[in-house]
Amino acid sequence: MSLLVDTSVWSLALRRDNPSQELPELGVLREAVKGADIIVTTGLILQELLQGFVGPKARDLIIGRFETLPTLMPDLQDHIAAADLRNKCRRAGVQLGTIDALIAQLCIRYDMILLTTDNDFHHAAKHIALSVWSNHGQA
């Protein structure tokens, strides 16, 4: 299975002060890193992580880890489709941010499962063809 790992999961995984009660998404990420699944990213997720962590050590660590991951590059059609997804969600009463809509579009286009702790994606998946990992089943 191919996973696009959202910023919310990477952020938790890269923190030194991980909570003692681990979220199941972190276990899925850990197994994927060991080779159980293919992990894919996009520049938006890397950018969000770099904006959230401070210091050159953290920056270099994050960049080093992400350099080895396959990176999806959205094209013009992805941006158009992401706007359509965002509008469809808004009409259904679900708020999906611009960046989140593009992440969702990349998952849909490349038939990947989104690994996230952000409930906005779970709500959006009820209205668009987005597969979101769930501990009650894979998607």
Side-chain angles (χ1 to χ4, degrees), residues 52-119:
F53 283 85
V54 292
K57 263 183 145 172
R59 179 185 182 278
D60 292 344
L61 174 72
I62 292 167
I63 292 170
R65 290 188 178 174
F66 272 69
E67 285 177 333
T68 62
L69 297 177
T71 303
L72 301 176
M73 305 297 275
D75 63 19
L76 184 62
Q77 290 305 311
D78 289 316
H79 289 278
I80 293 168
D84 292 342
L85 291 176
R86 188 168 187 263
N87 290 337
K88 184 175 184 178
C89 286
R90 188 178 62 228
R91 284 190 301 274
V94 175
Q95 294 300 314
L96 190 64
T98 301
I99 291 174
D100 289 350
L102 188 54
I103 290 169
Q105 167 55 27
L106 291 172
C107 284
I108 292 167
R109 176 180 176 189
Y110 292 101
D111 194 28
M112 293 182 297
I113 296 172
L114 181 63
L115 183 63
T116 185
T117 60
D118 185 339
N119 282 330

Side-chain angles (χ1 to χ4, degrees), residues 14-71:
L14 294 170
R15 290 191 191 285
R16 291 180 190 204
D17 59 344
N18 274 341
S20 58
Q21 192 172 28
E22 185 174 292
L23 295 171
E25 291 84 357
L26 293 175
V28 171
L29 177 59
R30 186 178 301 108
E31 289 303 310
V33 167
K34 291 178 184 176
D37 299 303
I38 298 168
I39 301 173
V40 180
T41 195
T42 186
L44 292 168
I45 292 170
L46 175 59
Q47 182 179 340
E48 285 184 321
L49 281 171
L50 291 173
Q51 291 170 177
F53 283 85
V54 292
K57 263 183 145 172
R59 179 185 182 278
D60 292 344
L61 174 72
I62 292 167
I63 292 170
R65 290 188 178 174
F66 272 69
E67 285 177 333
T68 62
L69 297 177
T71 303

